[in-house]
Amino acid sequence: MNVYHPKLTAGVWLAGMLAICILGGQVLTRDWLETGFLALLPTSEQQPEIAKATLQHNQLLNRKVIWLTGATTSQEAINHAQKLKQQLEQSRLFSKVVLEFPQQQYIQQYRQLFPYRYRLLDAQSQSILATNPEDLIKQNLEILNSPIGQMQAADLERDPSLIFSRYFNAQNPIKLNLEQGIVVLSDQHRFWALLLTDLQDEKLQLDKLETLSSLVNSATEQVKAVGGELLVSGMPLFTAHGAESAKQEISTVGIGSSLGIIVLLWATFRSMRPLLLSSLAIGSGLIAALVISVLFFGKIHILTLVFGASLIGVADDYAQHFLCDSFGEKDWNPRKGLKFILPGLSLGLASNLLSYAGLGFSPFPGLQEVALFSAVGLLVAWLTVVLLFPLLLTGFRFDHQPGILKLTTYWEEHWPLWVSNNRRWLGLILSVFVAGGLWLLTPQDDVRLLQSPPAELLRTADKIRQLFPMSPDNQFFLVSGKDQTEWHQNEQKLLKRLEALKQQKALTAYEGLSNYWPDATQQQQNYQLLKHKLYDSGLLERYMADLGFDEAAVKAEYKQFAEAASNTLTLPEWLAAADQTKQQLWLGCDFGHCQSTVALIGINDISALTALQDLSGVIWVDQVESVSSLFARYRIRASGLLAIAFCLASLGLGYKFGWRNGMTIMSVPVVALAVSLAMSGWFGQLFSLFNLFALLLVLGIGVDYGLFFFMAGDRRASTSLGVTLSALTTLLAFGLLAASSTEIVHAFGFTVTAGIVTALLCAPLIGLKDIQSSNTMERRCQK
């Protein structure tokens, strides 16, 4: 303060804000807002191959939207779907809109794989040929004489044994009913036409999500208007709902906090200058926080902005403490006021930054963003008050005593005395309350609590899953081997076990590459199986003769078979002919490992699937369970982090003010933490990792309030006003967070709100002896 020059410091502040605004003009012009749910989840603790597999597994899910148009007849359902297809194509939201399944794609795939037909056998054909090849011939004859025989007869000349037709049909494990090239599903009441779409990209920008939501709503109304029904589901819809909820909560918290601050400041100060200065501190903090966070992370999640909006109530604390100090003495001036409150402001900032640093140590990108955003916002708000306010408040004086000052003064004088006089039974009640609440506290670590989709969206997703059981579940297997041969062997062992579980109804279907592509060894075995069982045995020759093939046709077939002896279909060649869903199963070979994923559809018994991890080269990947277990581990670590933060704060305060005084100040956040946890237990609130990080903020706020009352001296009245206004504005922000529809956000807001209220009640108890001695002196003087 001896070298403090208001004009110089104001110039430093202005230069810094100009630099931030210039940076903002550069970084905020690009796509900087993240809306996807998966962006909140950590990947750093996963093994690289699991992280890669998870990313690839999610790529299709993140873009795919499934539409089902329902009607009383299949033709009506198809008509609705055709009109819907036009509407979706006109929206230009989708890179692919599939209604009629393209026959050309199947024809091309058929042609690419046909030259290798003698090496490609489906599992059923392999089994029949190995045990009783005559059954294969009998089945062929039954098929040819059935109503669908004409369709198979078209392939008979080129594929007389129908071996390749069997293999090609087995490419799609779940058979779907096609009408006019359109998949038509049915339940007891309606027919449903299927339409599949892929969004243009995975970025899921906010404006496109809003367009998607509007499109779904308008399409639903249009189909209803003509007597139909529309079901829509997909990860983008869940993301869209989450983004819309977050957007509404940003508005609610931001506008609610701002209006509350305006009302409180106007009622207290009755002047535009304090209001404008507070807005300047808040605005500069939020702008700097946004720019620095985007600059550091590249993109920030929309949920970060929800928490960032709550920062409004906290960032205003420093401005209010400065302004309220002006009521502390008659000859107040900005320089003298800053000199008095600067130690308290600085220590309060340090404790808050320490709390947010705790958030930064978590492995969750969302919490890391919240930590940096909040820390930068508070730091810049503090710098605005310290560097700029003394200059802008020069010559300014309040010429009134605010009514709220009388209330806070009365409360500050009488509340501590009442507590002191009733401390025994109050202490007993508090102990029972805290003990009971902690006993009722039950940890919940389910990652799905990060999202709170509406029940209607969940019901629709379940109904679509029942009608169209083709979408892969989040769980899958990762299969690896040191080369393609070992990988293939490992996956084949897994698929055999999965087939057994499928027969037991543990799952509906599964998809693995080795089900469709046999390796070189298996291809040779397939060829030899055909050679011995059909060709060398003469069984095929007799079968072809019975069907009316002449001798030349039989010789031509045998010649083609002999010429194919050296043919081998490589995996890259097979993948080039496969559809995108199957291509996504292959992860490639690198660093001595070949890897793929096995997708699972319609899981009914997850415990039976997890038991398959005992197979060599097989890893069970459950994204929900793995991240939930990560939540549980870090909840335990966060408890230790919270204890360390309390110890560090206690050591710092003990070193600065003496150990006894340090413990006195720390009693405020300790009681606030205990009561906050107890209230979560009594009210059945969610208790997870996020509550512990909320308690880190309670630590910072509690230390802040305790410090101001400890250092108040003869300015307890103005200190009480500043702390009360600070608490009220902060409560507005975090109290509105507690109204969030997302459980974790709600729990975060509830925990901080309970902690702030408790800290506000406990802080005036610091300095109780001074109040009692002051009252004693007054009584003596009156005598």
Side-chain angles (χ1 to χ4, degrees):
M1 292 303 299
N2 293 330
V3 294
Y4 184 78
H5 298 286
K7 291 183 179 180
L8 178 62
T9 57
V12 171
W13 178 89
L14 183 61
M17 288 307 299
L18 283 174
I20 287 173
C21 290
I22 292 171
L23 283 173
Q26 296 174 351
V27 301
L28 297 181
T29 53
R30 60 174 185 257
D31 177 29
W32 55 268
L33 188 62
E34 181 70 65
T35 56
F37 166 70
L38 296 174
L40 294 169
L41 304 182
T43 57
S44 58
E45 289 215 348
Q46 291 181 343
Q47 300 174 28
E49 60 269 20
I50 295 179
K52 178 183 177 182
T54 301
L55 178 64
Q56 190 155 315
H57 183 78
N58 290 330
Q59 280 180 346
L60 285 177
L61 295 179
N62 290 348
R63 297 170 54 189
K64 193 167 291 297
V65 182
I66 301 173
W67 311 70
L68 289 177
T69 55
T72 52
T73 66
S74 59
Q75 186 57 52
E76 287 178 335
I78 290 173
N79 293 340
H80 295 331
Q82 289 171 338
K83 293 177 182 177
L84 177 62
K85 181 186 177 183
Q86 295 178 357
Q87 186 178 356
L88 298 183
E89 288 174 337
Q90 291 170 359
S91 72
R92 298 186 179 181
L93 273 179
F94 306 97
S95 60
K96 183 169 66 174
V97 180
V98 178
L99 178 59
E100 299 88 358
F101 282 76
Q103 296 298 317
Q104 188 62 36
Q105 177 183 337
Y106 295 111
I107 293 171
Q108 183 180 355
Q109 185 181 16
Y110 189 98
R111 288 173 177 171
Q112 286 177 293
L113 296 179
F114 188 77
Y116 305 96
R117 60 191 179 279
Y118 301 119
R119 294 178 171 269
L120 302 175
L121 294 177
D122 63 286
Q124 186 180 18
S125 298
Q126 283 180 354
S127 176
I128 295 174
L129 283 171
T131 56
N132 192 356
E134 286 83 2
D135 283 352
L136 185 77
I137 300 301
K138 291 179 182 178
Q139 288 181 11
N140 284 358
L141 294 174
E142 289 175 0
I143 291 172
L144 292 171
N145 291 318
S146 69
I148 62 170
Q150 291 184 346
M151 298 173 60
Q152 296 292 341
D155 293 330
L156 196 60
E157 186 176 347
R158 303 179 70 229
D159 180 28
S161 63
L162 300 182
I163 287 292
F164 185 68
S165 296
R166 289 169 176 267
Y167 165 80
F168 196 76
N169 291 333
Q171 296 276 304
N172 298 306
I174 297 180
K175 303 306 177 186
L176 299 172
N177 179 46
L178 288 178
E179 293 187 27
Q180 304 173 39
I182 298 171
V183 174
V184 177
L185 311 168
S186 62
D187 57 18
Q188 295 179 345
H189 307 289
R190 286 183 179 272
F191 291 89
W192 302 88
L194 174 69
L195 198 153
L196 299 176
T197 60
D198 284 349
L199 290 176
Q200 289 181 351
D201 53 52
E202 298 177 60
K203 293 181 181 179
L204 302 179
Q205 296 175 0
L206 186 60
D207 57 339
K208 291 185 177 180
L209 289 175
E210 291 173 348
T211 304
L212 176 63
S213 296
S214 300
L215 181 62
V216 170
N217 293 333
S218 63
T220 301
E221 293 301 322
Q222 289 179 20
V223 173
K224 279 185 178 180
V226 291
E229 186 177 351
L230 179 63
L231 300 177
V232 192
S233 184
M235 181 65 77
L237 284 183
F238 286 89
T239 303
H241 175 266
E244 181 62 29
S245 297
K247 187 178 175 183
Q248 292 175 359
E249 287 166 9
I250 291 169
S251 300
T252 301
V253 175
I255 295 173
S257 298
S258 301
L259 289 176
I261 289 172
I262 290 171
V263 171
L264 281 171
L265 291 182
W266 185 259
T268 303
F269 302 118
R270 301 179 192 172
S271 173
M272 284 300 295
R273 193 186 298 195
L275 188 58
L276 293 174
L277 288 178
S278 291
S279 301
L280 182 62
I282 295 169
S284 58
L286 291 178
I287 291 171
L290 178 61
V291 172
I292 299 300
S293 297
V294 174
L295 191 64
F296 186 83
F297 291 107
K299 297 181 77 171
I300 62 172
H301 200 275
I302 191 169
L303 205 58
T304 302
L305 297 184
V306 175
F307 287 100
S310 70
L311 190 65
I312 292 172
V314 184
D316 191 47
D317 287 1
Y318 307 121
Q320 290 181 18
H321 283 303
F322 198 129
L323 293 167
C324 289
D325 185 67
S326 63
F327 296 110
E329 57 180 45
K330 294 181 180 179
D331 58 344
W332 181 88
N333 63 64
R335 186 184 183 91
K336 183 185 293 187
L338 180 60
K339 184 176 182 180
F340 176 75
I341 69 168
L342 186 57
L345 286 182
S346 302
L347 289 170
L349 174 69
S351 64
N352 277 306
L353 292 182
L354 178 65
S355 301
Y356 283 113
L359 292 179
F361 282 113
S362 77
F364 300 95
L367 282 177
Q368 292 170 3
E369 291 174 13
V370 170
L372 181 63
F373 189 100
S374 302
V376 171
L378 288 182
L379 177 61
V380 173
W382 181 87
L383 287 172
T384 303
V385 172
V386 172
L387 299 181
L388 195 62
F389 274 31
L391 178 66
L392 297 182
L393 284 172
T394 300
F396 182 77
R397 291 283 299 169
F398 293 110
D399 55 2
H400 71 287
Q401 286 289 321
I404 192 172
L405 178 60
K406 298 176 182 178
L407 291 174
T408 56
T409 301
Y410 181 85
W411 169 71
E412 178 270 325
E413 289 177 351
H414 292 82
W415 164 251
L417 294 175
W418 183 82
V419 171
S420 177
N421 293 333
N422 299 278
R423 60 183 178 274
R424 290 184 179 179
W425 66 269
L426 285 174
L428 179 62
I429 291 176
L430 180 63
S431 300
V432 172
F433 179 82
V434 170
L438 294 178
W439 177 262
L440 295 171
L441 208 58
T442 304
Q444 298 180 52
D445 302 302
D446 193 341
V447 66
R448 286 168 291 196
L449 295 171
L450 279 170
Q451 280 189 319
S452 297
E456 181 62 31
L457 198 58
L458 291 173
R459 282 195 296 269
T460 300
D462 288 339
K463 186 168 183 179
I464 289 179
R465 197 175 292 112
Q466 292 171 4
L467 288 166
F468 180 62
M470 288 290 286
S471 297
D473 291 322
N474 286 323
Q475 299 89 347
F476 61 91
F477 285 101
L478 174 63
V479 185
S480 61
K482 64 183 179 183
D483 52 32
Q484 281 192 6
T485 300
E486 185 177 271
W487 158 78
H488 191 273
Q489 292 171 351
N490 291 340
E491 187 172 289
Q492 278 289 292
K493 291 176 184 176
L494 172 64
L495 296 185
K496 287 178 181 177
R497 298 274 292 272
L498 287 175
E499 180 61 30
L501 291 179
K502 177 184 173 184
Q503 300 303 322
Q504 299 168 16
K505 308 297 182 182
L507 74 163
T508 303
Y510 57 88
E511 285 224 299
L513 286 182
S514 64
N515 239 9
Y516 312 115
W517 176 79
D519 65 356
T521 303
Q522 184 64 51
Q523 287 182 46
Q524 184 62 28
Q525 292 175 358
N526 290 341
Y527 185 84
Q528 291 299 323
L529 186 63
L530 285 172
K531 186 175 188 299
H532 292 307
K533 299 293 184 177
L534 284 184
Y535 289 83
D536 290 352
S537 67
L539 183 60
L540 180 68
E541 183 177 357
R542 293 193 299 273
Y543 160 72
M544 291 182 67
D546 291 342
L547 288 178
F549 285 92
D550 58 23
E551 187 176 348
V554 174
K555 288 182 178 180
E557 173 61 26
Y558 271 75
K559 180 182 178 182
Q560 291 176 14
F561 181 78
E563 290 174 347
S566 59
N567 278 5
T568 300
L569 176 63
T570 65
L571 182 56
E573 289 173 326
W574 184 88
L575 288 171
D579 58 55
Q580 187 182 17
T581 303
K582 293 184 176 65
Q583 290 173 358
Q584 290 289 111
L585 298 175
W586 180 243
L587 299 176
C589 294
D590 53 12
F591 305 109
H593 274 80
C594 292
Q595 294 181 319
S596 71
T597 60
V598 174
L600 307 172
I601 301 168
I603 295 175
N604 298 317
D605 185 356
I606 201 165
S607 61
L609 293 169
T610 57
L612 301 184
Q613 292 184 91
D614 61 342
L615 294 171
S616 176
V618 173
I619 299 175
W620 169 254
V621 181
D622 186 340
Q623 301 173 68
V624 172
E625 180 59 33
S626 62
V627 178
S628 296
S629 63
L630 187 66
F631 268 36
R633 292 201 305 274
Y634 270 88
R635 175 173 47 78
I636 297 171
R637 294 186 192 182
S639 301
L641 178 65
L642 185 62
I644 292 171
F646 267 88
C647 291
L648 290 176
S650 301
L651 288 173
L653 292 172
Y655 178 78
K656 175 70 176 176
F657 302 108
W659 300 113
R660 185 172 181 178
N661 291 332
M663 292 302 101
T664 300
I665 296 170
M666 286 302 298
S667 65
V668 175
V670 167
V671 175
L673 178 145
V675 171
S676 183
L677 283 175
M679 288 190 69
S680 296
W682 283 112
F683 286 91
Q685 294 294 306
L686 169 71
F687 176 63
S688 69
L689 167 71
F690 288 78
N691 296 71
L692 292 170
F693 287 128
L695 293 175
L696 282 169
L697 304 187
V698 172
L699 165 64
I701 293 168
V703 169
D704 206 359
Y705 294 173
L707 268 172
F708 275 106
F709 270 100
F710 178 79
M711 302 177 66
D714 58 356
R715 298 190 185 187
R716 287 185 65 89
S718 60
T719 299
S720 178
L721 175 62
V723 169
T724 303
L725 289 179
S726 168
L728 289 175
T729 53
T730 308
L731 282 172
L732 277 170
F734 286 102
L736 290 170
L737 274 188
S740 171
S741 59
T742 304
E743 279 202 66
I744 281 181
V745 177
H746 165 79
F748 193 98
F750 182 90
T751 302
V752 177
T753 299
I756 292 171
V757 171
T758 307
L760 178 62
L761 294 174
C762 291
L765 304 181
I766 295 179
L768 180 59
K769 292 182 179 179
D770 295 336
I771 299 173
Q772 291 173 332
S773 57
S774 175
N775 290 342
T776 302
M777 289 293 294
E778 287 181 8
R779 286 195 295 269
R780 287 177 180 175
C781 291
Q782 290 173 358
K783 292 179 180 178

